[in-house]
Coordinates of all heavy atoms in Angstrom, one line a residue:
M1 N 112.4 23.9 105.4 CA 113.6 24.7 105.3 C 114.0 25.1 106.7 O 113.2 25.6 107.5 CB 113.3 26.0 104.4 CG 114.5 26.8 104.2 SD 114.3 27.9 102.8 CE 114.0 29.4 103.7
T2 N 115.3 25.0 107.0 CA 115.8 25.3 108.3 C 116.6 26.6 108.2 O 117.2 26.9 107.2 CB 116.7 24.2 108.9 OG1 117.8 24.1 108.0 CG2 116.0 22.9 109.0
T3 N 116.6 27.4 109.3 CA 117.5 28.6 109.3 C 118.6 28.4 110.4 O 118.4 27.7 111.4 CB 116.6 29.8 109.7 OG1 116.0 29.5 111.0 CG2 115.5 30.1 108.7
K4 N 119.7 28.9 110.1 CA 120.8 28.8 111.0 C 120.9 30.2 111.7 O 120.9 31.2 111.1 CB 122.1 28.6 110.2 CG 122.2 27.2 109.6 CD 123.5 27.0 108.9 CE 123.6 25.6 108.3 NZ 124.9 25.4 107.6
Q5 N 121.1 30.1 113.0 CA 121.3 31.3 113.8 C 122.8 31.5 114.0 O 123.5 30.6 114.3 CB 120.6 31.1 115.2 CG 119.1 31.1 115.1 CD 118.5 31.0 116.5 OE1 119.2 30.7 117.4 NE2 117.2 31.2 116.5
K6 N 123.2 32.7 113.8 CA 124.6 33.1 114.0 C 124.7 33.7 115.5 O 123.9 34.5 115.9 CB 125.1 34.2 113.1 CG 125.2 33.6 111.6 CD 125.8 34.7 110.8 CE 125.9 34.2 109.3 NZ 126.5 35.2 108.5
S7 N 125.6 33.1 116.2 CA 125.8 33.7 117.5 C 126.7 35.0 117.4 O 127.6 35.1 116.6 CB 126.6 32.7 118.4 OG 127.8 32.4 117.9
I8 N 126.3 35.9 118.3 CA 127.0 37.2 118.3 C 128.2 37.0 119.2 O 128.0 36.6 120.4 CB 126.1 38.3 118.7 CG1 124.9 38.5 117.7 CG2 126.8 39.6 118.9 CD1 123.9 39.5 118.1
Q9 N 129.4 37.4 118.8 CA 130.6 37.2 119.5 C 131.1 38.6 120.0 O 131.2 39.5 119.1 CB 131.6 36.5 118.7 CG 132.8 36.1 119.5 CD 133.8 35.3 118.6 OE1 134.0 35.6 117.4 NE2 134.4 34.2 119.2
T10 N 131.4 38.7 121.2 CA 131.9 40.0 121.7 C 133.4 40.0 121.5 O 134.1 39.0 121.9 CB 131.7 40.1 123.2 OG1 130.2 40.1 123.4 CG2 132.2 41.4 123.8
V11 N 133.9 41.0 120.9 CA 135.3 41.2 120.6 C 135.8 42.4 121.3 O 135.2 43.5 121.1 CB 135.6 41.2 119.1 CG1 137.1 41.4 118.8 CG2 135.0 40.0 118.4
T12 N 136.9 42.3 122.0 CA 137.6 43.5 122.6 C 138.9 43.7 122.1 O 139.7 42.7 122.0 CB 137.7 43.2 124.2 OG1 136.4 42.9 124.7 CG2 138.2 44.4 124.9
K13 N 139.3 44.9 121.8 CA 140.6 45.3 121.2 C 141.3 46.0 122.3 O 140.8 46.9 123.0 CB 140.4 46.1 120.0 CG 141.7 46.6 119.4 CD 141.4 47.5 118.2 CE 142.7 48.1 117.6 NZ 142.4 49.0 116.5
Q14 N 142.6 45.7 122.5 CA 143.4 46.3 123.5 C 144.8 46.7 122.9 O 145.4 45.9 122.1 CB 143.6 45.3 124.6 CG 144.4 45.7 125.8 CD 144.6 44.6 126.8 OE1 144.3 43.5 126.5 NE2 145.0 45.0 128.0
A15 N 145.3 47.9 123.3 CA 146.6 48.3 122.8 C 147.6 47.8 123.9 O 147.5 48.1 125.0 CB 146.7 49.8 122.7
V16 N 148.7 47.1 123.4 CA 149.7 46.6 124.3 C 151.1 46.8 123.6 O 151.1 47.1 122.4 CB 149.5 45.0 124.6 CG1 148.2 44.8 125.3 CG2 149.6 44.2 123.3
H17 N 152.1 46.6 124.4 CA 153.5 46.6 123.8 C 153.8 45.3 123.3 O 153.6 44.3 124.0 CB 154.5 47.1 124.8 CG 154.4 48.6 125.1 ND1 154.9 49.5 124.3 CD2 153.8 49.3 126.1 CE1 154.7 50.7 124.8 NE2 154.0 50.6 125.9
C18 N 154.4 45.2 122.1 CA 154.8 43.9 121.6 C 155.9 43.3 122.4 O 156.9 43.9 122.7 CB 155.3 44.1 120.1 SG 156.0 42.7 119.4
P19 N 155.8 42.0 122.8 CA 156.8 41.3 123.6 C 158.1 41.1 122.8 O 159.1 40.7 123.3 CB 156.1 40.1 124.0 CG 155.0 39.8 123.1 CD 154.6 41.2 122.6
N20 N 158.0 41.2 121.4 CA 159.1 40.9 120.6 C 160.0 42.1 120.3 O 161.2 42.1 120.5 CB 158.6 40.3 119.3 CG 159.7 39.7 118.4 OD1 160.6 39.1 118.9 ND2 159.7 40.0 117.1
C21 N 159.3 43.3 120.0 CA 160.1 44.5 119.6 C 159.8 45.7 120.5 O 160.5 46.7 120.4 CB 159.9 44.8 118.2 SG 158.2 45.5 117.8
G22 N 158.7 45.7 121.3 CA 158.4 46.8 122.1 C 157.5 47.8 121.5 O 157.0 48.8 122.2
A23 N 157.2 47.7 120.2 CA 156.3 48.7 119.6 C 154.9 48.5 120.0 O 154.5 47.5 120.6 CB 156.4 48.6 118.1
L24 N 154.0 49.4 119.7 CA 152.6 49.2 120.1 C 152.0 48.2 119.2 O 152.2 48.2 118.0 CB 151.8 50.5 119.9 CG 152.0 51.5 121.0 CD1 151.1 52.8 120.7 CD2 151.5 51.0 122.4
A25 N 151.3 47.2 119.8 CA 150.7 46.1 119.1 C 149.2 46.1 119.5 O 148.7 46.8 120.4 CB 151.4 44.8 119.5
E26 N 148.4 45.2 118.8 CA 147.0 45.0 119.1 C 146.8 43.7 119.7 O 147.3 42.7 119.3 CB 146.2 45.2 117.9 CG 146.3 46.5 117.2 CD 145.5 46.6 116.0 OE1 145.1 45.6 115.4 OE2 145.2 47.8 115.5
R27 N 146.0 43.6 120.8 CA 145.5 42.3 121.3 C 144.0 42.3 121.2 O 143.3 43.1 121.7 CB 145.9 42.2 122.8 CG 145.5 40.9 123.4 CD 146.2 40.7 124.8 NE 147.6 40.4 124.6 CZ 148.5 40.8 125.4 NH1 148.2 41.3 126.6 NH2 149.8 40.5 125.2
W28 N 143.5 41.2 120.5 CA 142.1 41.0 120.3 C 141.6 39.9 121.2 O 142.2 38.8 121.2 CB 141.9 40.6 118.8 CG 142.3 41.7 117.9 CD1 143.5 42.0 117.4 CD2 141.4 42.7 117.3 NE1 143.5 43.1 116.6 CE2 142.2 43.5 116.5 CE3 140.1 43.0 117.5 CZ2 141.7 44.6 115.8 CZ3 139.6 44.1 116.8 CH2 140.4 44.9 116.0
H29 N 140.6 40.1 122.0 CA 140.0 39.1 122.9 C 138.7 38.6 122.3 O 137.8 39.4 122.2 CB 139.8 39.7 124.3 CG 141.0 40.2 125.0 ND1 141.8 39.3 125.7 CD2 141.6 41.4 125.1 CE1 142.8 40.0 126.2 NE2 142.7 41.2 125.8
Y30 N 138.7 37.4 121.9 CA 137.5 36.7 121.4 C 137.1 35.7 122.5 O 137.9 35.4 123.4 CB 137.8 35.9 120.1 CG 138.3 36.8 119.0 CD1 139.6 37.0 118.8 CD2 137.4 37.4 118.1 CE1 140.1 37.8 117.7 CE2 137.8 38.1 117.0 CZ 139.2 38.4 116.8 OH 139.6 39.1 115.8
S31 N 135.9 35.1 122.4 CA 135.5 34.2 123.4 C 136.3 32.9 123.4 O 136.5 32.3 124.4 CB 134.0 33.9 123.3 OG 133.7 33.3 122.0
D32 N 136.8 32.5 122.2 CA 137.5 31.2 122.1 C 139.0 31.4 121.9 O 139.7 30.4 121.8 CB 136.9 30.4 120.9 CG 137.0 31.1 119.6 OD1 137.2 32.4 119.5 OD2 136.9 30.5 118.5
R33 N 139.5 32.6 121.7 CA 140.9 32.8 121.5 C 141.3 34.2 121.8 O 140.5 35.2 121.8 CB 141.3 32.4 120.1 CG 140.8 33.4 119.0 CD 141.0 32.9 117.6 NE 140.5 33.7 116.6 CZ 139.2 33.9 116.3 NH1 138.3 33.1 116.9 NH2 138.8 34.7 115.3
T34 N 142.6 34.4 122.1 CA 143.2 35.8 122.3 C 144.3 35.9 121.3 O 145.2 35.0 121.2 CB 143.7 36.0 123.7 OG1 142.7 35.8 124.6 CG2 144.3 37.3 123.9
K35 N 144.3 37.0 120.5 CA 145.3 37.1 119.4 C 146.1 38.4 119.6 O 145.5 39.5 119.7 CB 144.6 37.2 118.0 CG 145.5 37.3 116.9 CD 144.9 37.1 115.5 CE 143.9 38.2 115.2 NZ 143.4 38.2 113.8
T36 N 147.4 38.3 119.7 CA 148.3 39.5 119.8 C 149.1 39.6 118.5 O 149.7 38.6 118.1 CB 149.2 39.4 121.0 OG1 148.4 39.2 122.2 CG2 150.0 40.6 121.2
E37 N 149.0 40.8 117.9 CA 149.8 40.9 116.6 C 150.4 42.3 116.6 O 149.8 43.3 117.0 CB 148.9 40.7 115.4 CG 147.6 41.4 115.3 CD 146.8 41.0 114.1 OE1 147.3 40.3 113.2 OE2 145.6 41.3 114.2
C38 N 151.6 42.3 116.0 CA 152.4 43.6 115.8 C 152.7 43.8 114.4 O 153.2 42.9 113.7 CB 153.7 43.5 116.6 SG 154.8 44.9 116.4
S39 N 152.3 45.0 113.9 CA 152.5 45.2 112.4 C 154.0 45.7 112.2 O 154.4 45.7 111.0 CB 151.6 46.3 112.0 OG 151.8 47.5 112.7
V40 N 154.7 46.0 113.2 CA 156.1 46.5 113.0 C 157.0 45.3 112.8 O 157.8 45.3 111.8 CB 156.6 47.3 114.3 CG1 158.1 47.6 114.1 CG2 155.8 48.6 114.4
C41 N 157.0 44.3 113.6 CA 157.9 43.1 113.5 C 157.2 41.8 113.0 O 157.9 40.8 113.0 CB 158.6 42.9 114.8 SG 157.6 42.2 116.1
D42 N 155.9 41.9 112.7 CA 155.2 40.7 112.2 C 155.0 39.6 113.3 O 154.9 38.5 113.0 CB 155.8 40.2 111.0 CG 154.8 39.4 110.1 OD1 153.6 39.7 110.2 OD2 155.3 38.5 109.4
Y43 N 155.0 40.0 114.6 CA 154.8 39.1 115.7 C 153.3 38.7 115.7 O 152.4 39.5 115.5 CB 155.1 39.8 117.0 CG 154.8 39.0 118.3 CD1 155.7 38.1 118.8 CD2 153.6 39.2 118.9 CE1 155.4 37.4 119.9 CE2 153.3 38.5 120.1 CZ 154.2 37.6 120.6 OH 153.9 36.9 121.7
L44 N 153.1 37.4 116.0 CA 151.7 36.9 116.1 C 151.7 35.8 117.2 O 152.5 34.9 117.2 CB 151.2 36.3 114.8 CG 149.9 35.5 114.9 CD1 148.7 36.5 115.1 CD2 149.7 34.7 113.6
M45 N 150.7 35.9 118.1 CA 150.5 34.9 119.1 C 149.0 34.7 119.4 O 148.3 35.7 119.7 CB 151.2 35.3 120.5 CG 151.0 34.2 121.6 SD 152.0 32.7 121.4 CE 153.6 33.3 121.6
V46 N 148.5 33.5 119.1 CA 147.1 33.2 119.4 C 147.1 32.1 120.5 O 147.7 31.1 120.4 CB 146.5 32.6 118.1 CG1 145.0 32.3 118.3 CG2 146.6 33.6 116.9
T47 N 146.3 32.4 121.5 CA 146.3 31.5 122.7 C 144.8 31.3 123.0 O 143.9 32.0 122.7 CB 147.0 32.1 123.9 OG1 146.4 33.4 124.2 CG2 148.4 32.3 123.7
C48 N 144.6 30.2 123.8 CA 143.3 29.8 124.3 C 143.1 30.6 125.6 O 143.9 30.4 126.5 CB 143.2 28.3 124.5 SG 141.7 27.8 125.3
P49 N 142.0 31.4 125.8 CA 141.9 32.1 127.0 C 141.5 31.2 128.3 O 141.8 31.6 129.4 CB 140.7 33.1 126.7 CG 140.0 32.4 125.6 CD 141.0 31.6 124.8
Q50 N 141.0 30.0 128.0 CA 140.7 29.2 129.2 C 141.9 28.4 129.7 O 142.1 28.3 130.9 CB 139.6 28.1 128.7 CG 138.2 28.7 128.6 CD 138.0 29.4 127.2 OE1 138.6 29.1 126.3 NE2 137.0 30.3 127.2
T51 N 142.7 27.9 128.8 CA 143.9 27.1 129.2 C 145.2 27.8 129.1 O 146.2 27.4 129.8 CB 143.9 25.8 128.3 OG1 144.2 26.2 127.0 CG2 142.7 25.0 128.4
G52 N 145.3 28.9 128.3 CA 146.6 29.5 128.1 C 147.4 28.8 127.1 O 148.6 29.3 126.8
N53 N 147.0 27.7 126.5 CA 147.8 27.0 125.5 C 147.9 27.8 124.2 O 147.0 28.5 123.8 CB 147.1 25.7 125.1 CG 147.1 24.7 126.3 OD1 147.9 24.8 127.2 ND2 146.3 23.7 126.2
V54 N 149.1 27.7 123.6 CA 149.4 28.4 122.4 C 148.7 27.7 121.2 O 149.0 26.5 121.0 CB 150.9 28.6 122.1 CG1 151.2 29.2 120.8 CG2 151.5 29.4 123.3
I55 N 147.9 28.4 120.4 CA 147.3 27.8 119.2 C 148.1 28.0 118.0 O 148.3 27.1 117.2 CB 145.9 28.4 119.0 CG1 145.0 28.1 120.3 CG2 145.2 27.9 117.8 CD1 143.7 28.8 120.3
E56 N 148.7 29.2 117.9 CA 149.5 29.6 116.7 C 150.5 30.7 117.2 O 150.1 31.5 118.0 CB 148.6 30.2 115.6 CG 149.4 30.5 114.3 CD 148.4 31.0 113.2 OE1 147.2 31.0 113.4 OE2 148.9 31.5 112.2
A57 N 151.7 30.6 116.6 CA 152.7 31.6 117.0 C 153.7 31.9 115.9 O 154.0 31.0 115.1 CB 153.5 31.1 118.2
Q58 N 154.1 33.1 115.8 CA 155.1 33.6 114.8 C 155.8 34.7 115.5 O 155.2 35.7 115.8 CB 154.4 34.0 113.5 CG 155.4 34.6 112.5 CD 154.7 35.1 111.3 OE1 153.6 34.6 110.9 NE2 155.3 36.0 110.6
A59 N 157.1 34.5 115.7 CA 157.9 35.6 116.4 C 159.2 35.7 115.6 O 160.2 35.1 116.1 CB 158.1 35.3 117.8
P60 N 159.2 36.4 114.5 CA 160.5 36.6 113.8 C 161.5 37.4 114.6 O 161.2 38.1 115.6 CB 160.1 37.3 112.6 CG 158.9 38.0 112.9 CD 158.2 37.2 113.9
G61 N 162.8 37.2 114.3 CA 163.8 37.9 115.0 C 163.8 39.4 114.8 O 163.1 39.9 113.9
L62 N 164.4 40.1 115.6 CA 164.5 41.6 115.5 C 165.4 41.9 114.3 O 166.3 41.2 114.0 CB 165.1 42.2 116.7 CG 164.2 42.1 118.0 CD1 165.0 42.6 119.2 CD2 162.9 42.9 117.9
Y63 N 165.1 43.0 113.7 CA 165.8 43.4 112.5 C 167.1 44.2 113.0 O 167.0 45.1 113.7 CB 165.0 44.4 111.6 CG 163.7 43.7 111.1 CD1 162.5 44.0 111.6 CD2 163.8 42.7 110.1 CE1 161.4 43.4 111.2 CE2 162.7 42.1 109.7 CZ 161.5 42.4 110.2 OH 160.3 41.8 109.8
A64 N 168.2 43.7 112.5 CA 169.5 44.3 113.0 C 169.6 45.8 112.7 O 170.2 46.5 113.4 CB 170.7 43.5 112.4
G65 N 169.0 46.2 111.6 CA 169.1 47.6 111.2 C 168.4 48.5 112.1 O 168.7 49.7 112.1
K66 N 167.4 48.0 112.8 CA 166.6 48.9 113.7 C 167.1 48.9 115.1 O 166.6 49.7 116.0 CB 165.1 48.4 113.7 CG 164.4 48.6 112.4 CD 163.0 48.2 112.5 CE 162.3 48.5 111.2 NZ 160.8 48.2 111.3
L67 N 168.1 48.0 115.5 CA 168.6 48.0 116.8 C 169.5 49.2 117.1 O 170.3 49.6 116.2 CB 169.3 46.7 117.1 CG 168.5 45.4 117.0 CD1 169.4 44.2 117.2 CD2 167.4 45.4 118.1
Q68 N 169.5 49.7 118.3 CA 170.3 50.8 118.7 C 171.7 50.2 119.2 O 171.7 49.2 119.8 CB 169.7 51.6 119.8 CG 168.4 52.3 119.4 CD 168.6 53.3 118.4 OE1 169.6 54.0 118.4 NE2 167.7 53.4 117.4
P69 N 172.8 50.9 118.9 CA 174.1 50.4 119.3 C 174.1 50.5 120.9 O 173.6 51.4 121.5 CB 175.1 51.3 118.7 CG 174.3 52.5 118.3 CD 172.9 52.1 118.0
V70 N 174.8 49.5 121.5 CA 174.9 49.5 122.9 C 176.4 49.9 123.2 O 177.3 49.4 122.7 CB 174.7 48.1 123.5 CG1 174.9 48.0 125.0 CG2 173.3 47.6 123.1
K71 N 176.5 50.9 124.1 CA 177.8 51.4 124.5 C 178.3 50.6 125.8 O 177.5 50.5 126.7 CB 177.8 52.9 124.8 CG 177.5 53.7 123.6 CD 177.5 55.2 123.9 CE 177.2 56.0 122.7 NZ 177.1 57.4 123.0
S72 N 179.5 50.1 125.7 CA 180.0 49.4 126.9 C 180.6 50.4 127.9 O 181.2 51.4 127.5 CB 181.2 48.5 126.4 OG 180.6 47.5 125.6
V73 N 180.3 50.2 129.1 CA 180.8 51.1 130.2 C 181.7 50.2 131.1 O 181.2 49.2 131.7 CB 179.7 51.7 131.0 CG1 180.2 52.6 132.1 CG2 178.8 52.5 130.0
L74 N 183.0 50.6 131.2 CA 183.9 49.9 132.1 C 184.2 50.7 133.3 O 184.6 51.9 133.1 CB 185.2 49.5 131.3 CG 185.1 48.6 130.1 CD1 186.4 48.4 129.4 CD2 184.5 47.3 130.5
V75 N 183.9 50.2 134.4 CA 184.0 51.0 135.7 C 185.2 50.4 136.5 O 185.2 49.2 136.7 CB 182.7 51.0 136.5 CG1 182.9 51.8 137.8 CG2 181.6 51.6 135.7
G76 N 186.1 51.2 136.9 CA 187.2 50.8 137.7 C 188.2 50.0 137.0 O 189.0 49.3 137.7
V77 N 188.3 50.0 135.7 CA 189.3 49.3 135.0 C 190.4 50.3 134.6 O 190.2 51.4 134.1 CB 188.7 48.7 133.7 CG1 189.8 48.0 132.9 CG2 187.6 47.7 134.0
K78 N 191.7 49.9 135.0 CA 192.8 50.7 134.7 C 193.6 50.2 133.5 O 193.7 49.1 133.2 CB 193.7 50.8 135.9 CG 193.0 51.5 137.0 CD 194.0 51.6 138.2 CE 193.3 52.2 139.4 NZ 194.1 52.4 140.6

C-alpha cells in the first residue's frame, strides 16, 4: 500500500482596488497562480506569477445604474 503526501501550499491574501470598478477586491497569491476577484462587479483575473500570462479572465462592464453623472465644464466659451 502506498501513501500520497500532500504538499503544503502557502497562500497569501491581499486587499487591492478592483481594476474594473475601483471597489475593494481580494488578491490571492498561490505558488502556481495569482487570483484577483471583486464581489461588487464580478471581476476575475487569474495569472501565472512566473510568466504573467493570463490563465482565466472575466471582466464584465460597469453597471450604468452605479455610475455617477459627469458634469461638463466649459471654460472660456461665450
Side-chain angles (χ1 to χ4, degrees):
M1 184 161 103
T2 62
T3 58
K4 294 183 181 180
Q5 292 182 346
K6 291 184 179 181
S7 62
I8 297 174
Q9 187 177 42
T10 302
V11 179
T12 305
K13 180 181 171 184
Q14 181 182 15
V16 297
H17 286 281
C18 174
N20 192 41
C21 72
L24 282 179
E26 295 178 343
R27 181 168 291 151
W28 298 84
H29 297 276
Y30 300 90
S31 60
D32 61 340
R33 68 191 180 282
T34 301
K35 179 170 69 168
T36 304
E37 55 186 341
C38 176
S39 60
V40 174
C41 71
D42 204 26
Y43 173 87
L44 171 70
M45 179 72 70
V46 182
T47 58
C48 174
Q50 287 82 23
T51 64
N53 290 342
V54 176
I55 299 169
E56 183 179 354
Q58 175 181 333
L62 294 173
Y63 301 104
K66 292 186 178 182
L67 295 177
Q68 297 294 324
V70 177
K71 295 181 180 179
S72 297
V73 178
L74 299 175
V75 178
V77 177
K78 294 181 181 181

